[in-house]
Structures are given as C-alpha cells and as structure tokens.
Amino acid sequence: MSAVERMYLQFLFFAYSAVWVVMFGFLYRMLRRTRQLEEELAMLKEAYGPESKTPLDPGFDGPSM
Amino acid sequence: MRVRQWRDRWVWVLLPLMGVALYLNFVGTPDDRILGASQRIFYVHMGTATTAGLAFTVTAACSILYLVTKNLAFDVVAAASAEIGTVFTTMLLVTGVLWGRAAWGVWWTWDPRLTATVILWVLFLAYLLVRGWTESVEPRARLSAVLALAAYVDVPIDYMTIRWWKSIHPVVITSHGIQMAPVMVLAMFVSMAAMLALYGAWMQLRVRLGRVESGLDVLKQRLRSRMEE
C-alpha cells in the first residue's frame, strides 16, 4: 500500500468513526429529550386529562411581565 | 419501571457493536486484490443498503395496515421508518459515490442501479415533504400511506436492476452464494448488524416521540372542547 493510499484509508477510518460517534450522540440526546417530553406529557395529562378538575380560563393570555 | 429502564439502556448495546464493526472493517480484513483499500467502503455501503431496504419495507407494511385498520399508530411507525430509511439512503448514495470514484474512476454515472436508488431517495423525500405540508391528521395519514406504497414499488426494482439490465454495479449475492472471502463476508454481516441495531434504537425512540406528539394532539382537542363548553 502506497503512502497516499494509507492516508486515504486513515481519512476513511476517521470519517466512519465520526459518523458512528455523531449517530450515537444524536440517539443519546434524542433519548434524553424523549424521556423529558414523556414526563411533561404525563404531567399535562394529570392536570388536563378526563378526570382533572383544573379550571380553564379562555381569557387568560399567559404570564405577564 | 424496570422494563422502561431496560428499554432505555439498550441504546448502549450499540457502542460495542459499532466498535467491532469498525475493527473488522479497518483492521480485521485485508485489502481487496483489485480494489485495494477502497473495498472497505463496501461494508458500510452494504449495511446502509440493507437497512434502507428494511426501513422502507416497514413503511410499506405499516401503510397497508393503516389503510386496512385506520389505526393511527401504524401511520406513526410508517413515518418514523421512512425518515430513517431516507437518512440511510443518503448514506448509501454518499458511500456509493466514493466507492464509484475509486473503482470506476468517475463520481457518478447514470447506471440503472444508481438511477433507481436516486429515484427511491427522491420519492421518499417527497413523502416526507408532503407529510410536513399537511396539517390534519387523518387526510395526511391516508395520503402518506398511498404515497409510501407508490414509492415502495421502486425498492424491488432497485434490487433487481443489476440482474434485469446491463449494469456496471457489481453483483455480490448470486445464486452461487456471496462472492467474497469469508473474513470479508463476516465484516459485511457485522457492519449490517450494527446498522440494523442503529435502526432499531432509532425507530424505538422515534415511535416514542410520535406517541408523545399524538398524546399532545389528543390533549389539545380535549382542551379545545372543554373551553367551548
């Protein structure tokens, strides 16, 4: 194998490793975000689900500054 | 709770599998006699092709199930699998272009296999775009299911192009078996397993996100109806 071929092979190795690392990092972040969203949805369901008695005020336009 | 913890931890199975795939692709296999080191691109290329094929097959199957049952859970799975399949098809095209440059001396040629793969990629990109444009859930699911089935027709055509027409793309799996050294076959299958595990982990998370989206839609509808009362 020539020096140029060896260099190309190293590039390929680093690129492939980088793709794996990025994919794994992406999945790990997605897992954390999914867990957080699931917890928040459970809280919302508890507050506004079919059995909840939380009053709804259509005139309420969010927190004031 | 225990089931939930294991469901989250299985993402970590990916790490050693990725490590073994990397080792076999770059250290555990020799260079090809004719293609040299560029043969190593093939292991990734084959893994992405198999995973994309599986992803689109899941999309087509879930689209049929949605059209039959009208259960929106199938639409969520179909969309998730199409998204991941499109990412893997992008990887397939990129690795194919790199390998083609090394093996054929050109970045791109309008070979039947390459053309069919680009068409497949464009069709599923269109599927995802249409999903993004449509707001209402039921019509979107119905239109997406029909589009997915139309796009899926290209998957078997893409597989058979190198057998039906004159193509410069190599045929690896023939009726006589896999035309490669056993250690290269092992590297190919391990790379394939790593990609399929990645698909599995990604799908599981994407479907969970889809369920959260559906849960939020249900809550929004409930809140709207309560406010109207």
Side-chain angles (χ1 to χ4, degrees), chain B residues 21 49 55 68 89 111 188 194 198:
Chain B
V68 173
T89 311
D111 177 82
M188 180 185 85
L198 184 71

Side-chain angles (χ1 to χ4, degrees), chain A residues 32-48:
Chain A
R32 285 178 59 186
R33 190 88 185 104
T34 305
R35 269 195 211 147
Q36 190 190 340
L37 282 171
E38 281 173 342
E39 280 165 21
E40 284 172 7
L41 180 67
M43 281 163 59
L44 280 171
K45 273 184 179 166
E46 208 174 295
Y48 300 107

Side-chain angles (χ1 to χ4, degrees), chain B residues 93-116:
Chain B
L93 286 168
V94 170
T95 52
V97 162
L98 290 173
W99 186 87
R101 180 72 178 89
W104 304 326
V106 287
W107 292 106
W108 185 262
T109 173
W110 292 103
D111 177 82
R113 167 54 72 84
L114 278 66
T115 310

Side-chain angles (χ1 to χ4, degrees), chain A residues 15 29-30 33-34 41 49-52 58:
Chain A
R29 281 195 63 181
M30 197 170 164
R33 190 88 185 104
T34 305
L41 180 67
E51 287 90 34
S52 76

Side-chain angles (χ1 to χ4, degrees), chain B residues 46 111-113 155-179:
Chain B
M46 191 71 180
D111 177 82
R113 167 54 72 84
V155 172
I157 294 175
D158 196 0
Y159 180 76
M160 292 306 291
T161 43
I162 48 178
R163 292 161 181 88
W164 285 343
W165 293 292
K166 274 185 186 170
S167 171
I168 54 169
H169 192 283
V171 185
V172 179
I173 302 167
T174 66
S175 53
H176 305 293
I178 301 171
Q179 307 300 309

Side-chain angles (χ1 to χ4, degrees), chain A residues 1 16 35 38 50 54, chain B residues 8 25-26 31 208 222 226:
Chain A
M1 191 189 290
Y16 190 19
R35 269 195 211 147
E38 281 173 342
T54 311
Chain B
D8 290 352
N25 288 0
F26 289 96
D31 281 349
R208 276 167 71 181
R222 196 172 289 157
R226 275 176 67 182

